Amino acid sequence: MMESGVPLCNICGEQVGLVNTNGEVFVACHECNYPVCKTCLDYEIKEGRSACPRCATPYDENEQESTNHATMASHPSTAEDVGVHARTVSTVSTVDSEYHDDTGNPIWKNRVESWKEKKNKKKKKESKTVVQEAAEVPPEQQMEEKPQLADAAEPLSRIIPVPKSQITPYRIVIIVRLIVLCLFFHYRVTNPVESAYPLWLISVICEIWFAFSWVLDQFPKWSPINRETYLDRLSARYEREGEPCQLAAVDFFVSTVDPMKEPPLITANTVLSILAVDYPVEKVSCYVSDDGGSMLTFESLAETSEFARKWVPFCKKFSIEPRAPEFYFTQKFDYLKDKVQPSFVKERRAMKREYEEYKVRVNALVAKAQKTPEDGWTMADGTPWPGNNTRDHPGMIQVFLGHSGVHDIEGNELPRLVYVSREKRPGYQHHKKAGAENALIRVSAVLTNAPYILNLDCDHYVNNSKAIREAMCFLMDPQVGRDVCYVQFPQRFDGIDKSDRYANRNIVFFDVNMKGLDGIQGPVYVGTGTVFNRQALYGYSPSNLPTIHKSSSSCSCCCRRKKPAKEKDLAEVYREAKREDLNSAIFNLREIENYDEHERSLLISQMSFEKTFGMSSVFIESTLMENGGVPDSANPSTLIREAIHVIGCGYEEKTAWGKEIGWIYGSVTEDILTGFKMQCRGWRSIYCMPLRPAFKGSAPINLSDRLHQVLRWALGSVEIFLSRHCPLWYGFGGGRLKWLQRLAYTNTIVYPFTSLPLIAYCVVPAVCLLTGKFIIPTLSNVASILFLGLFLSIIVTGVLELRWSGIGIEDWWRNEQFWVIGGVSAHLFAVFQGFLKMLAGIDTNFTVTAKAADDGEFGDLYIFKWTTVLIPPTTILIVNLVGVVAGFSDALNKGYEAWGPLFGKVFFSFWVILHLYPFLKGLMGRQNRTPTIVVLWSVLLASVFSLVWVRINPFVTKDDPSALVQNCIDIDC
């Protein structure tokens, strides 16, 4: 907000202006009061965009009519002014108005004013040329172009809300369940069980926490949505015949570390699927990060680049899906369906033979790499491999394919393929995957500088060749993509058995939770299958950020003055000031690439940029090019040297990398933290679920690997909880994160702590069975109704959730089971490991010992790896099984009156055993294809009957106690 009280236009950055002498400010949208000036509104309506860019509410008809009359009666000079303003709209995007206060840097203001004057003079000349050219176009040609422009102005996507017949009952049940919970807890707290007070108190505390976690998980799903894209409209707008393709370029990031754990053939399939994607080849670049500096990865990429010359044209000629050869040739389907070309069968057989030969060569490289020579690896020219020491080696970059390099077998260009291994030196913190991704950001900015980035894990291939076009329907839509930081695709997996014993597919999370978040501020970043806006990764705020009034900020300042200033608060204020300076700079320097060296020196504050981005003028200049691209004057040899410089191990020191820009450091789950920081700046994300899954990957399917994966995720959440980025207290000053979104992020960091009450609640039933006590008093009629209402609301909530999400009951049940399995094992260890790491600096690791697996399609499912994570659930299972046996034995001994209380106690124990049943099967594994679970149940039943037999003791009658003594004497006991 300016000091005069007149807001700034969020399109051009100028003052909105007044409509009369009374001081009334012009309002374009009366629904949300989105600040847009009259000139921008006229241009938007003229271009066919008659809706508010924030809330999509159509503009007032009176405003449109006045705009049309003004256009008809305008003088040619007015048309020139509109043309100038139109160019400003299309090239300059503003930041939050708080960055435009009169208290700014006067040096910046003088530079900006001079820059604007030069810019406006150039645009007036260009606009005159445009008007003259438009006058020379014949009327017949103008009439033909109008329908085409109208079609191109249509939205590229639309929101499909969940039908009211499904979502309204769902919301009603949520509210009813919340009311029932309140009444239930009132009853539980006011009716303690005096005979088992400790057990009752523990159970009530656990139930309160479960209710709190349910609220955190449920309310972000209040407004789920679906989305639909229009790929034909995208092509009509940006791929017109006879004109250069206007689709935005995309840089793909693929990261790998150890080729022995991440097979090179899997990484190669991911790379091949990227190179063959259905997108203009000059717009695609693939960067492979080898964080282990392995010569095996380098040589396998060399083989892959050679095979790509044959594979890419084959895929595009016959529209192959998927375009990862390993998964295409192994899928079971009729490959002749819809393939009408006579040559397809012959070429497919030849290509499969070529792929088998390629696999032999790659596997030979893997076999050769099993034993490292004493002197280290040597390259083909006889020089030592620079990465022989994985922890101490220089940065390495190799461009295998490129726009002006090797062509495919048909003579066409191929996308760029670049191998990158950043510098590693002892004594430097490299930040694992997050550091490798940040290195790729800088390398790609220097070499190609695409405005969008897509990152994939090495085991996630492109399953839908049109996935990038799906994302561009959001990012390149002027009405949608202005404030979108990333488009997230769901994760889908291959190689999982149909029963999905350990919920590897995460269907509930990807098809329920993420749809709910998409209706608020967008889904969380899950680490792979994400298309980023590069400007968002640089730490900039969105161009159409809502205005933050000074009154709110001054109020918060007053509140802070009441407390003594601390060093931490001052540091945070300093960081905010640096971010404001950076945003102001990017606003004023949108088109700096159009100026000569002298003008650049006047406009760039080199020192402030270097403190943020590092000591690379080439990279800093690339950050100012909002639409991407490399300057035409760039020398390729110079760019390679600069790319080597920006991946140096000391480049990030004393910069904002990993703190405010790029992938954020401080957690093993850097994905959650990175997305959270972006949305705190005001960005939103979008969830895209095409009918054909965009990407597919592999997941650990055996029990031990799955639990360690969950352990790593939970550990990252605990690290975020104990850091300054905790959603409970971070990012309140800007007010840009919606409350339901903050609730969702809070849920992502506190869910590991549910393991503590969950373990206690799983042990309480067994203790009740062993001690004969119970946590619930004798139920009255009202209490029975409350319990029945609670159980019914839980069931109905699940049923309605399944209805609007479209997932199956089996997937929902597997998710419930693994929630208990992971909660009592991996989440518990993550809590203790997180506290030890963050508070005491002790980093603990849990050893994993593998046993042999069966040969078969799902042989890995039966691999058993013993680890300490398995101890808590195993103990809970044994305790509950023993408790059930003891409970039945006690009931048989006491008589008919004991069976009633027994059923209530046994119900909770069976609830625990039923949820841990997949864990029990995984614990037992499979030997010689004989289900050992049968042996377990046999032993269990034998133990039950044995204990019952001993408890009853049919050889002794209870009426004659002397017989017992006599028997003992006779058998000399």
Side-chain angles (χ1 to χ4, degrees):
M1 187 68 66
M2 300 288 289
E3 297 246 345
S4 60
V6 181
L8 297 176
C9 175
N10 275 346
I11 296 180
C12 66
E14 303 292 340
Q15 290 191 13
V16 171
L18 308 178
V19 295
N20 52 34
T21 57
N22 296 331
E24 295 182 4
V25 179
F26 174 76
V27 178
C29 177
H30 297 279
E31 184 69 22
C32 65
N33 294 328
Y34 188 62
V36 176
C37 66
K38 180 67 175 177
T39 310
C40 287
L41 176 64
D42 296 345
Y43 177 76
E44 292 287 304
I45 295 175
K46 180 181 177 182
E47 291 295 313
R49 294 185 286 270
S50 59
C52 175
R54 178 193 289 177
C55 65
T57 303
Y59 290 126
D60 189 2
E61 295 181 359
N62 296 329
E63 294 291 343
Q64 298 189 29
E65 291 178 1
S66 62
T67 300
N68 295 333
H69 288 301
T71 304
M72 293 293 293
S74 62
H75 194 266
S77 62
T78 307
E80 294 176 6
D81 295 338
V82 174
V84 172
H85 200 84
R87 280 182 54 83
T88 307
V89 172
S90 62
T91 57
V92 180
S93 57
T94 65
V95 295
D96 192 355
S97 59
E98 65 178 330
Y99 300 145
H100 301 277
D101 284 343
D102 294 336
T103 58
N105 192 335
I107 300 178
W108 272 112
K109 289 188 176 183
N110 295 333
R111 291 180 179 178
V112 171
E113 293 301 327
S114 61
W115 171 71
K116 284 184 178 180
E117 291 178 2
K118 294 181 181 179
K119 183 177 175 183
N120 290 334
K121 290 179 181 179
K122 293 181 180 180
K123 289 181 178 179
K124 286 183 179 180
K125 294 179 181 179
E126 294 176 359
S127 63
K128 291 180 180 179
T129 305
V130 172
V131 172
Q132 292 176 358
E133 292 178 354
E136 295 174 358
V137 177
E140 294 81 4
Q141 186 174 350
Q142 293 181 6
M143 293 296 292
E144 294 177 357
E145 290 179 354
K146 284 182 180 179
Q148 183 179 4
L149 293 175
D151 294 339
E154 293 180 348
L156 303 180
S157 64
R158 72 184 181 102
I159 296 175
I160 306 177
V162 176
K164 291 184 178 180
S165 60
Q166 297 178 3
I167 196 64
T168 301
Y170 180 68
R171 293 171 177 171
I172 293 174
V173 171
I174 290 176
I175 296 174
V176 170
R177 182 174 172 180
L178 194 62
I179 296 173
V180 172
L181 275 174
C182 295
L183 297 175
F184 171 78
F185 284 123
H186 178 268
Y187 168 79
R188 290 285 282 147
V189 172
T190 56
N191 292 271
V193 182
E194 299 296 340
S195 60
Y197 192 83
L199 294 176
W200 167 84
L201 184 60
I202 292 174
S203 64
V204 169
I205 294 174
C206 295
E207 290 163 1
I208 292 174
W209 178 265
F210 294 151
F212 170 71
S213 62
W214 172 78
V215 170
L216 290 179
D217 182 67
Q218 199 69 45
F219 276 90
K221 296 184 286 189
W222 186 260
S223 302
I225 61 172
N226 298 298
R227 295 183 185 269
E228 183 180 5
T229 57
Y230 302 107
L231 300 182
D232 53 344
R233 296 180 183 177
L234 180 74
S235 298
R237 182 179 297 184
Y238 297 108
E239 292 182 296
R240 299 175 183 174
E241 294 184 4
E243 299 181 9
C245 177
Q246 299 297 322
L247 288 174
V250 180
D251 288 338
F252 287 77
F253 292 175
V254 179
S255 57
T256 182
V257 181
D258 188 352
M260 295 303 170
K261 297 180 180 179
E262 300 164 338
L265 193 61
I266 299 298
T267 304
N269 271 270
T270 301
V271 172
L272 289 169
S273 68
I274 293 173
L275 298 178
V277 73
D278 183 9
Y279 209 69
V281 292
E282 68 275 8
K283 305 289 185 178
V284 176
S285 300
C286 178
Y287 294 84
V288 180
S289 170
D290 178 19
D291 220 29
S294 172
M295 187 174 175
L296 172 58
T297 303
F298 179 86
E299 291 183 335
S300 65
L301 275 184
E303 292 286 349
T304 302
S305 63
E306 184 64 27
F307 178 71
R309 299 179 60 244
K310 307 171 184 177
W311 174 251
V312 172
F314 171 75
C315 290
K316 294 188 175 181
K317 181 178 180 180
F318 298 108
S319 300
I320 298 300
E321 294 287 359
R323 300 188 177 181
E326 181 69 23
F327 302 95
Y328 169 70
F329 289 121
T330 56
Q331 60 184 349
K332 298 177 182 179
F333 75 108
D334 183 10
Y335 62 85
L336 296 178
K337 185 179 180 181
D338 300 330
K339 298 291 187 273
V340 295
Q341 295 92 334
S343 61
F344 172 68
V345 175
K346 182 179 179 180
E347 293 192 31
R348 184 184 186 277
R349 291 173 180 171
M351 183 55 59
K352 188 174 183 180
R353 184 168 56 253
E354 291 282 353
Y355 179 63
E356 294 296 333
E357 294 175 357
Y358 162 74
K359 285 176 63 177
V360 170
R361 295 193 296 270
V362 174
N363 290 331
L365 294 175
V366 175
K368 178 183 175 182
Q370 297 294 328
K371 186 177 181 181
T372 305
E374 294 182 0
D375 298 333
W377 298 106
T378 305
M379 293 188 291
D381 58 357
T383 59
W385 172 247
N388 279 323
N389 188 341
T390 58
R391 298 182 179 181
D392 187 4
H393 64 80
M396 296 176 283
I397 296 178
Q398 175 66 44
V399 180
F400 286 106
L401 300 174
H403 308 319
S404 59
V406 180
H407 292 69
D408 63 24
I409 57 175
E410 297 182 356
N412 300 319
E413 291 186 356
L414 289 168
R416 181 171 297 190
L417 175 61
V418 183
Y419 169 87
V420 179
S421 181
R422 57 183 174 142
E423 183 183 14
K424 294 283 188 72
R425 299 298 181 191
Y428 287 90
Q429 178 60 262
H430 299 103
H431 302 289
K432 299 182 180 179
K433 180 183 176 181
E437 296 286 354
N438 285 337
L440 288 183
I441 293 179
R442 298 191 292 271
V443 169
S444 63
V446 171
L447 297 181
T448 53
N449 196 33
Y452 301 107
I453 294 171
L454 192 154
N455 80 301
L456 288 173
D457 289 342
C458 62
D459 58 351
H460 278 68
Y461 63 91
V462 181
N463 184 64
N464 184 350
S465 61
K466 297 184 182 297
I468 312 306
R469 296 178 179 271
E470 298 275 354
M472 291 301 125
C473 286
F474 303 106
L475 294 169
M476 296 191 68
D477 192 330
Q479 301 299 329
V480 178
R482 295 181 178 182
D483 59 347
V484 175
C485 56
Y486 60 84
V487 175
Q488 178 65 60
F489 291 90
Q491 291 186 20
R492 303 297 188 219
F493 302 98
D494 289 318
I496 300 176
D497 63 315
K498 293 182 179 179
S499 64
D500 194 13
R501 178 186 300 178
Y502 308 122
N504 285 280
R505 293 189 177 93
N506 283 331
I507 294 295
V508 173
F509 174 75
F510 286 111
D511 288 24
V512 179
N513 297 61
M514 296 288 267
K515 285 184 180 180
L517 292 177
D518 198 17
I520 310 172
Q521 199 172 343
V524 298
Y525 169 41
V526 298
T528 184
T530 314
V531 184
F532 285 98
N533 183 338
R534 187 184 285 268
Q535 294 293 314
L537 285 172
Y538 287 156
Y540 301 138
S541 300
S543 58
N544 59 344
L545 198 65
T547 301
I548 299 178
H549 299 282
K550 280 189 172 182
S551 58
S552 60
S553 60
S554 61
C555 178
S556 60
C557 292
C558 293
C559 295
R560 283 196 294 267
R561 289 193 190 100
K562 294 178 181 179
K563 299 180 181 180
K566 297 181 180 179
E567 293 183 1
K568 187 174 181 180
D569 296 334
L570 295 176
E572 185 66 26
V573 171
Y574 175 77
R575 282 192 292 268
E576 291 291 341
K578 299 306 293 180
R579 281 200 294 272
E580 292 178 9
D581 291 343
L582 187 58
N583 276 278
S584 179
I586 198 66
F587 162 67
N588 294 321
L589 304 175
R590 287 293 184 188
E591 293 185 345
I592 190 170
E593 69 272 14
N594 296 332
Y595 297 96
D596 56 28
E597 293 294 331
H598 176 67
E599 290 174 327
R600 290 182 192 179
S601 63
L602 295 176
L603 293 172
I604 296 181
S605 177
Q606 190 75 19
M607 184 177 298
S608 62
F609 275 84
E610 288 176 351
K611 289 181 180 179
T612 302
F613 293 112
M615 302 290 291
S616 172
S617 58
V618 176
F619 175 74
I620 290 174
E621 186 174 354
S622 71
T623 64
L624 304 175
M625 303 171 68
E626 185 180 10
N627 296 322
V630 179
D632 297 333
S633 59
N635 187 348
S637 60
T638 305
L639 293 182
I640 290 294
R641 288 197 298 269
E642 194 67 24
I644 291 291
H645 168 61
V646 298
I647 60 174
C649 58
Y651 182 85
E652 295 183 355
E653 288 192 348
K654 297 181 180 180
T655 66
W657 285 102
K659 302 171 185 175
E660 300 298 335
I661 62 177
W663 270 259
I664 306 302
Y665 304 148
S667 172
V668 295
T669 53
E670 69 285 334
D671 44 9
I672 297 291
L673 199 53
T674 302
F676 172 66
K677 292 274 287 187
M678 291 181 185
Q679 294 187 342
C680 282
R681 297 188 190 104
W683 294 94
R684 67 187 179 99
S685 56
I686 283 179
Y687 196 49
C688 182
M689 296 182 64
L691 294 178
R692 180 179 179 85
F695 310 100
K696 279 191 174 182
S698 57
I701 63 174
N702 65 73
L703 177 61
S704 304
D705 288 344
R706 172 68 167 142
L707 288 178
H708 274 268
Q709 181 189 57
V710 174
L711 171 63
R712 186 177 64 85
W713 294 343
L715 176 60
S717 297
V718 176
E719 289 175 345
I720 297 174
F721 176 81
L722 298 175
S723 70
R724 72 181 185 92
H725 292 119
C726 178
L728 292 175
W729 51 73
Y730 182 84
F732 278 97
R736 299 165 185 169
L737 194 68
K738 295 184 178 180
W739 280 103
L740 287 180
Q741 193 77 6
R742 186 177 297 277
L743 206 64
Y745 273 110
T746 303
N747 186 41
T748 61
I749 64 162
V750 302
Y751 77 90
F753 297 97
T754 306
S755 60
L756 300 174
L758 184 60
I759 287 181
Y761 210 72
C762 289
V763 173
V764 164
V767 176
C768 291
L769 287 169
L770 293 172
T771 60
K773 299 178 180 179
F774 200 33
I775 58 176
I776 299 176
T778 304
L779 297 179
S780 61
N781 292 334
V782 176
S784 301
I785 295 175
L786 281 177
F787 272 89
L788 182 62
L790 180 61
F791 283 115
L792 286 178
S793 64
I794 293 173
I795 295 172
V796 174
T797 304
V799 171
L800 293 177
E801 197 169 271
L802 296 179
R803 187 185 175 197
W804 67 255
S805 64
I807 65 175
I809 183 67
E810 184 178 5
D811 292 320
W812 178 84
W813 174 238
R814 292 301 186 198
N815 181 79
E816 291 295 313
Q817 287 181 312
F818 198 78
W819 176 74
V820 176
I821 295 172
V824 299
S825 56
H827 297 172
L828 177 67
F829 280 83
V831 171
F832 287 107
Q833 187 176 357
F835 274 98
L836 289 175
K837 181 178 180 180
M838 301 300 293
L839 301 181
I842 302 174
D843 194 1
T844 57
N845 293 316
F846 303 103
T847 58
V848 179
T849 305
K851 306 298 180 184
D854 294 335
D855 296 330
E857 183 180 2
F858 299 107
D860 291 342
L861 178 65
Y862 305 101
I863 295 178
F864 178 72
K865 300 179 181 180
W866 177 254
T867 170
T868 49
V869 177
L870 303 177
I871 295 176
T874 305
T875 305
I876 291 174
L877 263 175
I878 295 174
V879 169
N880 277 276
L881 290 173
V882 171
V884 170
V885 173
F888 274 102
S889 302
D890 187 63
L892 289 173
N893 188 38
K894 290 184 178 179
Y896 178 77
E897 294 81 5
W899 285 97
L902 175 66
F903 285 126
K905 302 173 185 177
V906 171
F907 171 80
F908 288 104
S909 281
F910 270 112
W911 179 90
V912 175
I913 296 172
L914 195 61
H915 279 76
L916 292 178
Y917 182 74
F919 171 82
L920 189 60
K921 292 182 68 176
L923 192 66
M924 298 304 297
R926 187 172 69 174
Q927 299 173 358
N928 298 325
R929 301 190 181 278
T930 301
T932 53
I933 195 67
V934 175
V935 178
L936 176 68
W937 281 110
S938 300
V939 173
L940 176 62
L941 293 176
S943 301
V944 171
F945 284 116
S946 299
L947 289 173
V948 171
W949 184 268
V950 172
R951 190 75 176 181
I952 296 176
N953 196 357
F955 297 101
V956 180
T957 60
K958 297 181 180 180
D959 296 335
D960 189 8
S962 61
L964 178 61
V965 179
Q966 184 63 35
N967 287 339
C968 290
I969 296 174
D970 291 342
I971 62 176
D972 193 20
C973 60

